[in-house]
Amino acid sequence: GSRKDQDYKDTIQRIKVLESGLGDKSNLNNLVEIFEIAQGSHGGLTSAAIHALHRVYTTLLLKGELRRLKKEESAKATVSNWLRDNYNSYIKFLCELLRHEEPGLQKPALNILITLLKSESEFQTSLRKKHSFANDFYVRVVDAVLRNPNFSQPLQAELLGKYLNVYDDLRYYFFKNTSHLYCSDIITSALESKDSSEADTPKKKKAKNMSNEKLNMLMQNTFSVLEGIRTMPTAGVEIDEFWTGHPDPEYAAKAKEDPDAFADSSDEEEEVAKEVAGKKGPRKHMLVRLSVHKKALQTCWLAFMKMPLSNDLYKKTLLIMHKRIIPHMTDPRLLMDFLTDSYNAGGATALLALNSLFTLIVDYNLDYPEFYHKLYRLLDANVLHLKYRSRFFRLLDLFLSSSHLPASLIAAFIKRMARLSLTAPPAGSVILIAMIYNLLKRHPSCMALIHRDEITDMETDVFDESNPDPYTCNALNSSLWELQTLAEHYYPNVATLAKIFTEQFTKPSYNLEDFLDHTYGTFLDKELTRKRKKDPALAFEKPTELFPSLVKVGATDEDDETANDNLEDPSAVKWSLWAF
Amino acid sequence: MVAAGANPTREKGGSALKRLKNSLKTAGIIGQTSRASLSKKDKKRGNPSEVGKHDRAEKLNLIKGEMNPFEMKVTNTKFEVLGRKVKGAVGKPALTKQVGEDNRKKTLLKEMKNKGKAGGIMDKRFGEENPNLTPEEKMLERFTKEKQKQTRSTSLFNLDDDEENLTHYGQSLANMDDFDEADLELSDSEDRGIIDPNTVSRSHFGGFGEDEEDMKNFDRPKSKAEVMREVIAKSKLHKLERQKEKDENDDVRKDLDDEFEDLRGLLDMAKPTARRPLPSQTSVYGRVEDERKDKELDEAAQKASAPTVEEDEYEDYDKFVRELAFDQRARPSDRTKTEEEIAVEEKEKLEKAEKARKRRMDGLDSEDENTPESGRRSTKGSANKKRKRAPQGDDLDDDFEDQEALQLGHGLTLEDIMNANGEDEDGSEEEGESGSEEEESEEDEGEDGADEDSDIADLKSSDEMDFSEDEMNEIGTNGKIVKQNGKKAKTAAPKKKVVPDNYEVPYTFECPSDHVEFLEILEDIRLEDTHTVVHRICVMHSIKVAAENRRKMEKFFTVIVDHIAHLAATESPMPVKIIGRLDQQLFNLAQQMPQHAASVFIERLTNAQNSYKEQLSVTSQFPDIKTLVILRTLGHVFPTSDFSHPVATPAMLYMTEILAQAEIRSEVDIGRGLFLIQLLHDYQILSKRFIPEVLNFINLSLYLLAPVTTQSKITVAFPLPEYARSQNLHIKETSSASPQPLSASALLTDKLGRDSIKAEQVRISLVVALSKVLEAYMQLYSSTAAFVETFQPCLNVLEAMKSVDNWNEDVKTNLNNAYDRLKRQVKFGTEKRTKQPLRMQYHRPVPIAQYVPKFEEGYSMDRHYDPDQERAQFNKLKAQTAKERKGAIRELRKDNMFMAREKLKNIKEKDARYQKMLTGVMTVLEADQAEKNELEFQKRKEQGKF
């Protein structure tokens, strides 16, 4: 142990010596030696070495000694070319480190890369006398990050928290590079699919599987980063943090002097104003314009959505779409096809798409034919057992809140919901009851559903459950017997709530929010932690057997009849099904 | 003016003369003058009429002023409004002005004078500021204050202050000096207006001289000696009276005694029949009898050996009293109840409990006397009452019974004996059965268990008294009294035993405080005897024996719950009988500690829920056998038919949560789910509440088990989780195996590996079981309103399932049965429905709310009748502030005027002083000038200029 420690200390010392020796140009070979140390297996040493190299290369970079010179002959050119090669291999090594299993190395590698990006950009800016962003460098970083098989939580947090969520330029170029990456990837995958259709040799299949895996990983990584970006600007003035220096130094200075002048007007307005003024000043730099950022986000997301998303990613995307994507897009109508397809897919996907679709309909004038038909079809037995139940019912309440909807439609929805309550968990039943109450209250013409004086001579229920059209399923002529059954529900809260239908409808409406967020867990917690003031009631009949093969049934007349009807009493044989 | 003056006169009432008299009287100018005649109120207040008690002139002046009609100012009201009181219609402006002026002089003027000045002397003398006090009163108060100050400063133990130390009957003698009864016959409050004869004779009509001497005598304060004499005389009188009374009483008693002799003959005391002890008292009575005999013998011996003078006429009486004490009292009707009576009682009890349960099922509060626990309490109360029979006329002494209990002695109480017997007897019985007939048929065993346990139940549950009586009876009829618990039984037991290795369950155990300890106890004990051990521990540490046992038993309750779970999990095959007996024990114990039982089960439920939430078990999300068995016992201990129950409701929620959300991965999961469903059926057998999750689970399970081809035919009208389509639990060979009873050990416990289950067979058995349970639920919900809708999905599933061609014959019949039955029920339900349309809003029309005008009794214009309480209060406050504001402004204005007046007065005074000074000076100067002129004139004259 101690020898290893000693070795470690020695090597650290050695790195220091080598680094200090690099002040002199004659010792440039030290770079190679440090690089070799960095490539060793010891994490601590690698970290120390790459930091040392970073310091050295930064100074060299800023001095301009890393430029590849055209003239190959001169000794200076040879040296700088050699340096450039070494520098490139160093960068490559850093990108590889990003994929290292150890997050402790991933983080410093990322930090160094991004800092080098800054130095490169500054160098280029000084060279061209104009703001420039070393995107060719950044492309490599983005690529390395997104194709990372070991994309760890700390790395993601570092990337998002320190860079992408803070600096506008980094975020912009990230979007841009990602969408480029996907364009190329789509092409390759398309090619692959062509290949596989031509000949399905096992080898190729395997290769395809491999690439599929890679693709999945890439998408997973991309989503986790894109999902984490939460600081999209909503106004031009919010774009004020730049990693590689403000692209419009004069503008920035002006803005600093007179912040009020720019604070109020939005980006577009400003532009218009400027154009009207006859192009008084030069057009603002690209990076400062909000529309450019929005566009970048839009293309990036659209590129991402074109990929064959896994079910999980698809749902996650839909989940954040209406809040985090649509508001930042320049033209949300581009999502129409995506959303319509999702909505038509049915099930949980449709539920999730509903939110975004609603945003589009309301804010972007999307015309969706037969919206209620599809909404009606969404109400199937599974809807109450899904995780996104409350989300859906919040929206459903909104859609059905108009009092101008035809009674037949409302009746269909009510009847359908009542039917669903027969297979619903208690948490779902309370939502349905509250909603049915509100609907009945809002549409008194539907009261016939729960109260009918004349005897209908129809043999069976007129309501056609299998009819997908809410207008023609004839729900208005049916009755809600289901609610009576719900009043016998085993959970007292549901039963009590279901009894409101037999009383006067005095309450104006129930606040649906009070009912939406219950689950079995919350109900159980409430019941289990309830304070018991009185002694709990106890059974008074002494148990005879643990599993009585013949269960005594309360000797009411009805039971006797049924028992006579059927020679074999099912409850009697119940426990005899088991062999203990 | 006259008319105006007349108005207030009328109000005050009486003629002017009367009023004058009245005011003179109240002023104390005429009538009695003693201070004692003043009412307490007046004294306290320092009645203003007392002002200048001594200078009549002043008082008279005041009265004259009051009576002067010219000082009154009356404002005429234009209209008389009934019920309105006008304030300030009559006033005395001059007087009030004067009062205000005076007050200002006292306060404002002083302040004005002191303005801009610092320091001064504060007058803190008592009563200096109170104008209502006469100088005499002031002096008096000051004096008392001074005195109080002194006494306060002296300590309690100050011996110098001997004035206070002289007491008689705890009263200071100094006070006694003032004690003159004769003078104070009329109390302070009563004598108002009535003038005592003394005063009358002395002062009225000028008084008469000849009585002077008498009066002197009368009035003279009595001397100390005289007072003491009177006191002594009085006490002697009292003593005499008491003695006389006592003599009378004695006479009466003597008469009674004489007559009693006759009565005694009637009572037939001489030969008390040798009463056979009551069965329930045998042990007690026997001992008491023995002791008594011993005592009598002793006494007799004593008597014989040393006849003393003491044994005089009282000895006879003592003996008699003792006889009475031991005499048989009214014979209690201790006959055993006939079987019919017991049955009736039992039935009544059950009916009562059932009624309470039904009320709870409907979600109402069970009537107080009907709840089992309060019922228990009340029966207990009545038991106590029974024990202490109502006191009767010829009861000699109520303590007698207690005395008897005390006389039991030897540190044993009735209960001790009872318990010892119960345990003992049970033990021996136990021995007999468990020892001799090992291979007893199962049912017998069950019955036995029930029997003996019902005994225990009696011991535990409500009718403690009944039980004890019964027990006593048994012992009594046997004619034996078991004295110590262990020995006899122990000696008897081995004889009956057939078990070779002298196996024997010990009789006493420590009460284990946790499950590990209990397992240690059980180490040497056969599994079948577990409940015996539990029972003995329960008896030994019964709560009724000692209060501190409650905590022990509470711990033991937890231990039993643990042990039930432990047995179910570790023993294979599951010892259903034994667990059943432990279950019964649990039931009994829970009756004594409902709160604790609830908290134990709640804790178990919480644990189960947590382990489900955290997905602790890797293999299955369904609860393991431990939890299942605990849920089973929970359903026995608590009523599951209640509308809402603190334990049963969460238990059901937990079960349904599992059914709805736990993922079905294997046959084991379906088996456990099936178990839960059957439990829920048991839970709901009475209340028939609707559980959607059960039907969902049945449908889903059948769907999962269905052969691949059939599965696609099923119309899914029930919630289908995402995993369901990819789960592979299909029955592959439909005709291969016949259904068997489900193996609990394989399906419920995790012990057997998955391979040992013959998958096909189990799946087919599960299908049959599911269809049977479905039928049970069909029957349970047969009367629900939405029967058709509820079972429609099941109908679909069954239809598809039965359509499989090559089912095994058993399976086929089962599925067909279930299907046919469901079909019939659905048809029935539809028909019923067409006859009765849904009428949920069928209630009495509610009358429109009416607002009857409100009439106020004794309406007054001055009051405000605002129905809005808040607004009324606000208005009142507003009016008050307005009034106060006006008053304040007025006062301030008057203050200003007063100050201006005073300033002007000051200035005038100053001016006058200056003027005076100036004239003085001028006079002097003029005089000087005149003199000077005179002188000059003289000079000139002398010079002779003229």
Side-chain angles (χ1 to χ4, degrees), chain A residues 311 315 348 381-382 385-386 415 419 421-426 429 447-461 465 478-493 495-496 498-505 519-525 527-530 532-548 551-554 556 558-559 562-563 565-566 568-571 573-580, chain B residues 350 353-354 357 360 365 372-373 453-454 457 573-574 576-577 579-580 583-584 587-588 590-591 594-595 598-599 602 605-606 609 613 632-633 636-639 642-646 649-650 652-654 656-657 660-661 671 674-675 678-679 681-682 684-686 688-693 696 717-722 741-744 747-748 769 772-773 775-776 779 783-786 789-790 821 824 830 833-835 837-844 846:
Chain A
N311 213 358
K315 276 185 192 166
N382 282 322
H385 294 263
L386 290 174
K415 181 70 188 170
R419 192 57 66 85
S421 71
L422 291 179
T423 55
S429 296
M447 283 300 268
L449 282 173
I450 60 165
H451 187 88
R452 200 180 291 280
D453 280 326
E454 79 279 11
I455 297 170
T456 48
D457 46 52
M458 275 160 277
E459 286 268 309
T460 49
D461 193 357
E465 201 188 3
S478 181
S479 289
L480 296 178
W481 294 284
E482 294 90 342
L483 295 179
Q484 266 187 341
T485 297
L486 265 199
E488 298 161 11
H489 198 273
Y490 71 97
Y491 187 51
N493 292 4
T496 316
K499 278 174 194 149
I500 55 172
F501 294 106
T502 53
E503 279 150 26
Q504 292 264 334
F505 275 45
T519 57
Y520 280 108
T522 55
F523 280 147
L524 244 176
D525 275 352
E527 291 292 331
L528 287 174
T529 52
R530 176 169 287 174
R532 299 186 298 278
K533 279 179 214 143
K534 285 195 292 185
D535 278 2
L538 290 166
F540 62 90
E541 253 178 305
K542 201 171 160 69
T544 48
E545 272 176 84
L546 196 59
F547 302 111
V551 179
K552 263 186 263 167
V553 182
T556 56
E558 205 179 279
D559 285 328
T562 48
D565 275 354
N566 315 288
E568 185 189 24
D569 185 4
S571 61
V573 292
K574 218 163 50 105
W575 287 109
S576 60
L577 294 173
W578 293 88
F580 288 102
Chain B
L350 282 180
E354 176 68 18
R357 189 194 64 74
R360 277 184 277 125
D365 253 354
E373 70 266 23
D453 281 337
S454 71
M574 199 162 100
V576 179
K577 292 276 167 222
I579 293 177
D583 182 31
Q584 286 165 345
F587 172 85
N588 293 333
Q591 303 291 327
Q595 274 289 1
S599 56
I602 288 278
L605 280 176
T606 318
Q609 163 72 1
K613 249 198 293 191
R632 169 70 277 181
T633 50
H636 280 154
V637 172
F638 296 105
D642 285 12
F643 180 68
S644 171
H645 189 276
T649 305
M652 271 186 272
L653 263 181
Y654 168 72
T656 51
E657 180 187 20
Q661 295 190 337
L674 189 70
F675 190 93
Q678 289 188 305
L679 263 187
H681 186 271
D682 269 9
Q684 296 302 347
I685 195 87
L686 291 169
K688 304 188 173 181
R689 296 192 199 288
F690 176 58
I691 309 175
E693 288 87 345
N696 288 347
F718 49 88
L720 196 68
E722 279 178 25
L742 302 166
S743 154
L747 287 177
L748 301 180
K772 277 190 175 158
V773 176
E775 273 186 82
Q779 195 190 334
S783 58
T784 194
E789 285 84 3
T790 312
R821 195 181 165 134
R824 247 185 299 144
T830 333
R833 186 181 286 173
T834 48
K835 282 173 202 155
L838 191 65
R839 280 180 185 154
M840 285 177 109
Q841 288 288 300
Y842 190 75
H843 29 59
R844 211 152 40 83
V846 174

Side-chain angles (χ1 to χ4, degrees), chain B residues 21 85 114 465 502 544 591 658 711 803 824 848:
Chain B
K21 251 187 182 173
K85 285 173 213 150
N114 288 336
M465 194 54 202
N502 265 356
K544 275 158 195 160
Q591 303 291 327
I658 296 290
Q711 194 183 51
S803 66
R824 247 185 299 144
I848 301 162

Side-chain angles (χ1 to χ4, degrees), chain B residues 492-542:
Chain B
K495 277 181 212 163
K496 287 182 190 170
K497 270 216 164 185
V498 200
V499 174
D501 52 328
N502 265 356
Y503 172 77
E504 183 185 358
V505 183
Y507 292 93
T508 56
F509 298 95
E510 276 301 299
C511 189
S513 58
D514 56 16
H515 189 222
V516 181
E517 276 180 39
F518 188 58
L519 285 181
E520 277 168 19
I521 289 174
L522 289 178
E523 241 170 28
D524 309 324
I525 284 160
R526 283 184 312 189
L527 188 61
E528 300 88 84
D529 293 326
T530 312
H531 68 277
T532 318
V533 175
V534 170
H535 169 63
R536 283 180 189 172
I537 291 173
C538 286
V539 173
M540 191 68 193
H541 303 279
S542 169

Side-chain angles (χ1 to χ4, degrees), chain A residues 286-405:
Chain A
M286 171 191 77
L287 274 180
V288 194
R289 274 180 290 155
L290 181 66
S291 56
V292 173
H293 282 269
K294 279 187 161 183
K295 187 116 191 170
L297 176 130
Q298 180 176 312
T299 36
C300 180
W301 270 112
L302 286 177
F304 179 69
M305 282 172 204
K306 273 176 198 153
M307 302 298 288
L309 296 176
S310 70
N311 213 358
D312 188 39
L313 276 184
Y314 200 96
K315 276 185 192 166
K316 276 185 183 168
T317 312
L318 283 175
L319 204 59
I320 63 165
M321 188 179 273
H322 70 289
K323 271 204 180 138
R324 302 252 290 280
I325 303 176
I326 291 180
H328 300 301
M329 286 173 75
T330 47
D331 189 7
R333 273 167 296 180
L334 291 174
L335 287 173
M336 246 152 41
D337 288 340
F338 181 77
L339 287 176
T340 316
D341 289 345
S342 315
Y343 190 48
N344 289 342
T349 324
L351 288 197
L352 292 172
L354 203 56
N355 240 330
S356 310
L357 206 58
F358 176 66
T359 318
L360 284 190
I361 290 172
V362 171
D363 294 340
Y364 298 97
N365 208 17
L366 174 72
D367 181 27
Y368 198 92
E370 303 205 322
F371 180 76
Y372 281 101
H373 287 74
K374 283 195 176 132
L375 195 63
Y376 181 70
R377 245 173 284 156
L378 275 185
L379 277 170
D380 63 1
N382 282 322
V383 109
L384 287 157
H385 294 263
L386 290 174
K387 215 164 59 180
Y388 314 110
R389 180 175 58 203
S390 59
R391 199 178 142 111
F392 172 70
F393 277 99
R394 224 169 253 135
L395 280 175
L396 186 63
D397 188 43
L398 194 68
F399 296 144
L400 296 180
S401 59
S402 165
S403 54
H404 295 294
L405 291 171

